[in-house]
């Protein structure tokens, strides 16, 4: 019987998960999803999230509903929480209504499990600080 250990996005998401769990300041200059640190070297801020978006095989951005402070909305921005084989558990992030370059999103307490075999594109957004994770 043939088994499949992981799919292509799982490895990238595992790296992001480890970076988020071990968020600390670093002085390397690189870009992209696999950049080995979070943040932009602001001495007072420790970035803790590399937000991601997913696109389906049909080319649509994946957006999920959430409720925050009694208001219902949808978001296409997620924080990686756990990766198992070809599935990822994500936390839905909401836009921060306060303009703050370092804190673009607010944490929700809503999660989703995404089958990575249904995902065609993974996009990493600029690193950020998300409170209450």
């Amino acid at each position: 019987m043939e088994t499949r250990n992981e799919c292509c996005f799982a490895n990238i998401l595992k790296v992001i998960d480890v970076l988020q769990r071990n968020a600390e300041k670093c002085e390397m200059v690189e870009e992209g999803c696999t950049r080995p640190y979070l943040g932009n070297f602001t001495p007072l801020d420790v970035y803790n999230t590399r937000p991601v978006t997913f696109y389906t095989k049909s080319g649509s951005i994946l957006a999920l509903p959430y409720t925050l402070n009694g208001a219902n909305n949808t978001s296409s921005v997620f924080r990686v929480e756990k990766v198992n084989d070809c599935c990822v558990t994500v936390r839905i992030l909401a836009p921060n209504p306060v303009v703050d370059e370092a804190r673009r999103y607010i944490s929700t307490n809503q999660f989703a499990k995404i089958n990575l075999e249904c995902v065609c594109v993974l996009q990493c957004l600029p690193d950020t600080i998300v409170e209450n994770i």
Side-chain angles (χ1 to χ4, degrees):
M1 182 169 113
E2 185 177 325
T3 60
R4 180 175 167 167
N5 293 335
E6 300 177 70
C7 53
C8 68
F9 293 133
N11 287 332
I12 293 170
L13 294 170
K14 284 180 183 178
V15 168
I16 292 171
D17 184 36
V18 168
L19 289 171
Q20 291 174 161
R21 291 179 193 283
N22 300 309
E24 60 183 63
K25 298 178 184 113
C26 181
E27 295 188 19
M28 299 174 69
V29 178
E30 292 183 38
E31 294 298 326
C33 289
T34 57
R35 180 174 36 158
Y37 60 92
L38 296 173
N40 65 359
F41 315 121
T42 308
L44 301 175
D45 293 327
V46 176
Y47 286 67
N48 62 1
T49 301
R50 181 163 295 160
V52 295
T53 59
F54 299 97
Y55 290 82
T56 65
K57 291 181 180 181
S58 68
S60 301
I61 192 165
L62 181 64
L64 297 173
Y66 69 89
T67 302
L68 189 64
N69 300 325
N72 297 322
N73 213 325
T74 60
S75 177
S76 59
V77 181
F78 309 101
R79 183 180 195 277
V80 174
E81 294 293 331
K82 187 175 184 180
V83 182
N84 286 325
D85 296 326
C86 208
C87 289
V88 60
T89 301
V90 295
R91 179 186 302 263
I92 300 171
L93 299 178
N96 188 349
V98 178
V99 177
D100 183 342
E101 283 299 310
R103 291 170 176 81
R104 292 182 176 104
Y105 305 100
I106 297 171
S107 172
T108 72
N109 287 326
Q110 291 151 19
F111 300 85
K113 187 173 273 193
I114 299 170
N115 180 345
L116 295 172
E117 291 178 347
C118 299
V119 172
C120 188
V121 175
L122 164 69
Q123 181 181 18
C124 293
L125 303 175
D127 295 343
T128 188
I129 299 167
V130 176
E131 306 292 339
N132 302 321
I133 53 172

